[in-house]
Amino acid sequence: MRTGSATSHRTSSGHQVSGAAVAASLSGVRPASFWLDDPGRPAAVPALTGDEQCDLLVIGGGYSGLWTALLAKERDARREVVLIESHEVGWAASGRNGGFCAASLTHGFSNGLARWPDELRTLERLGEGNLDAIEAAVVRYGIDCDFERTGEIDVATEPHQLDELREARDAAARLGFTGLELLDRDEVRAEVDSPTFLGGLHDPRGVAMLNPARLAWGLKRACLALGVRIYENTSGLELARSGAGMAVRTPYGRVFARRVALGTNVFPSLVRRVRPYTVPVYDYALTTEPLTAAQLASVGWRGRQGLGDSANQFHYFRITADNRILWGGYDAVYPYGGRLSADLDHRPETYLKLASHFLRCFPQLEGVRFSHAWGGAIDTCSRFSAFFGTAYDGRVAYAAGYTGLGVGATRFGGEVMLDLLAGARTERTELEMVRSKPVPFPPEPVAWAGIGLTKWSLARADARGGRRNAWLRTMDRLGLGFDS
């Protein structure tokens, strides 16, 4: 079921999709992020030349850095904030993701329950408040990012996944979370029609759909309007103490700051001891051409929810504002040694695999063409959700390891970093999730071998009714994992 493009592909409904049809669907594809391929993309602001001084320096112009800078000015309008970005704001993961903005801070309810059962109620409440605050900021700053609070459906495509979804619903209900709705086959297909769907778990309020690049660009404009000084094409090269503060060397100058917040995520941290806690995982996605009225009617999707299947190697998919389907996930590619390279941003063999899976899921859309195909790196940690900390006697704070769910959780991470830099004791900083660290990844070649064995084991579990082998059971006991 999960192979690439063989001579033909049979769906669970018996429909057969030819390899030629799969290849033809990619014939006119543009190798670029659909979100970043936007005529409204703002021009870059100039790079830093010379020296700067500020109260707070934020390094990284993705969501993590942008939210931190914006929140810093909202907390204290007089604070001088500088943000530097090595390329352009939103060019990396923030402009390449699926546009799922989730309330969950823990990479889903089940992961949070397994890791922090005693504080999950607090984490869920804080996550809901965080998503509400993102929605309020979108309105307050007039950010045109197609924000839709449509919710999400986790769909079962294998019988054992129905049991897993029911168990998740029941566990949430025991903790007082009664908003999740279990859908049977007919109910889920009434929402989105695929012959592969056997049921689903609907969260009607916990996820919003949005245009991720436009969110980043809107946050950039909001930061500039509040007086944040942004420098693009300006890398932070070296971090060092300077008097009572810090100095950061850049290609053409330096920034002297009282405090520094690191929002570099998948890129090597300027605090070297943080680097073993994350590895880069390359994830890939396709978008179709806009669906015709007839094509859209054949699928349904009137609620415009985000969807994800429940396999270990999973797909995520959603409708864009102009009625394209974005289809991503499944392959999680770890480059040996954690190598980051633009060469890995495109992977034709994965595009073929995704296209074949798409036509298996939606055989009624055979003949639709894909307009864009792209990839990008995600910062993955072994517990799947963000971790936090400080360095240089509290002058530097960092947050990383969002593992693909950073569209929403990075705002919370910005709040945490600002609390830590202020030395404040808050509800956020008292969380075990904030005070603890994931298990670091081992050095090579052990990391490569372990990740490869984990991926093989996860695929095997998908093919064997969810049964986890000894390796995965051991990883579960140790609280370790690998995910995109």
Side-chain angles (χ1 to χ4, degrees):
M1 179 177 176
R2 302 295 184 182
T3 57
S5 56
T7 57
S8 66
H9 312 278
R10 185 176 297 278
T11 71
S12 61
S13 64
H15 182 82
Q16 203 163 29
V17 180
S18 70
V22 172
S25 71
L26 293 164
S27 62
V29 76
R30 178 174 170 79
S33 165
F34 167 69
W35 310 115
L36 295 174
D37 188 21
D38 186 331
R41 184 173 182 168
V45 297
L48 173 66
T49 56
D51 291 349
E52 260 277 23
Q53 296 194 16
C54 59
D55 298 313
L56 173 68
L57 170 63
V58 179
I59 302 179
Y63 297 138
S64 189
L66 290 165
W67 280 118
T68 303
L70 186 68
L71 291 165
K73 291 296 283 186
E74 288 182 343
R75 289 187 181 194
D76 182 358
R78 298 170 299 175
R79 178 163 20 193
E80 291 192 336
V81 180
V82 168
L83 182 150
I84 61 174
E85 160 56 42
S86 61
H87 293 276
E88 294 182 24
V89 161
W91 78 278
S94 297
R96 304 180 191 221
N97 62 81
F100 288 63
C101 186
S104 177
L105 304 174
T106 61
H107 208 272
F109 181 87
S110 296
N111 190 54
L113 182 62
R115 299 182 187 281
W116 302 288
D118 295 337
E119 62 184 30
L120 187 57
R121 284 189 177 90
T122 299
L123 286 165
E124 290 289 299
R125 173 175 54 79
L126 291 172
E128 291 169 5
N130 185 64
L131 182 55
D132 289 341
I134 291 172
E135 185 172 12
V138 166
V139 173
R140 183 166 64 254
Y141 294 108
I143 299 175
D144 178 16
C145 64
D146 302 323
F147 189 98
E148 298 180 279
R149 194 83 172 255
T150 57
E152 183 178 22
I153 303 174
D154 292 329
V155 296
T157 57
E158 299 289 344
H160 73 273
Q161 295 168 7
L162 289 170
D163 296 331
E164 294 169 357
L165 294 179
R166 186 176 296 106
E167 290 169 5
R169 189 275 312 269
D170 293 346
R174 286 194 294 271
L175 286 176
F177 303 108
T178 58
L180 301 180
E181 180 185 5
L182 197 64
L183 306 177
D184 64 22
R185 179 180 179 276
D186 290 340
E187 289 169 331
V188 73
R189 290 189 63 177
E191 296 293 336
V192 183
D193 190 16
S194 168
T196 67
F197 294 173
L198 305 179
L201 187 61
H202 184 206
D203 177 358
R205 290 285 298 167
V207 182
M209 297 292 105
L210 52 76
N211 180 315
R214 288 187 182 179
L215 174 62
W217 300 333
L219 290 173
K220 173 184 174 180
R221 285 190 292 270
C223 285
L224 290 170
L226 293 185
V228 176
R229 301 194 294 277
I230 296 177
Y231 299 96
E232 292 178 297
N233 295 301
T234 301
S235 301
L237 302 176
E238 186 179 23
L239 186 65
R241 297 176 187 268
S242 177
M246 301 298 297
V248 174
R249 183 170 61 86
T250 71
Y252 309 120
R254 295 171 299 176
V255 183
F256 297 93
R258 292 181 57 251
R259 297 290 182 266
V260 176
L262 298 178
T264 50
N265 297 336
V266 76
F267 299 99
S269 177
L270 291 178
V271 178
R272 294 188 66 87
R273 70 170 183 268
V274 176
R275 296 181 184 181
Y277 289 106
T278 64
V279 295
V281 176
Y282 278 82
D283 180 56
Y284 299 90
L286 307 172
T287 51
T288 69
E289 297 172 338
L291 300 187
T292 65
Q295 288 170 330
L296 190 58
S298 74
V299 178
W301 222 330
R302 289 176 294 275
R304 303 182 62 80
Q305 306 96 331
L307 279 85
D309 65 53
S310 302
N312 291 308
Q313 291 182 283
F314 63 92
H315 304 92
Y316 54 87
F317 39 115
R318 47 82 54 101
I319 288 275
T320 67
D322 61 348
N323 292 330
R324 302 168 190 262
I325 295 179
L326 181 147
W327 178 267
Y330 191 82
D331 271 351
V333 178
Y334 169 68
Y336 184 86
R339 178 177 62 95
L340 290 166
S341 170
D343 293 340
L344 298 172
D345 287 349
H346 297 290
R347 198 166 189 262
E349 59 267 43
T350 293
Y351 299 153
L352 278 169
K353 190 181 297 182
L354 286 174
S356 70
H357 294 176
F358 174 88
L359 292 173
R360 242 180 249 144
C361 183
F362 296 119
Q364 66 270 46
L365 295 180
E366 186 172 349
V368 74
R369 299 297 180 96
F370 293 101
S371 63
H372 293 75
W374 71 95
I378 294 168
D379 61 323
T380 294
C381 73
S382 62
R383 73 183 192 190
F384 309 150
S385 53
F387 63 91
F388 312 89
T390 60
Y392 293 93
D393 301 319
R395 303 177 196 183
V396 176
Y398 56 83
Y402 291 96
T403 317
L405 256 70
V407 179
T410 44
R411 184 191 175 279
F412 174 81
E415 296 270 29
V416 171
M417 284 196 284
L418 292 173
D419 289 347
L420 293 173
L421 289 173
R425 183 173 179 175
T426 68
E427 184 178 35
R428 289 181 289 265
T429 62
E430 291 299 296
L431 290 167
E432 175 64 20
M433 176 189 174
V434 171
R435 292 186 291 110
S436 65
K437 293 284 194 301
V439 176
F441 289 95
E444 298 292 11
V446 178
W448 171 262
I451 289 171
L453 179 56
T454 302
K455 289 176 61 179
W456 177 84
S457 299
L458 290 170
R460 186 173 174 83
D462 283 339
R464 300 180 65 193
R467 294 189 295 276
R468 298 170 78 80
N469 63 16
W471 174 260
L472 291 180
R473 293 196 299 273
T474 300
M475 299 280 280
D476 292 341
R477 284 195 297 272
L478 295 175
L480 301 175
F482 173 79
D483 194 15
S484 64

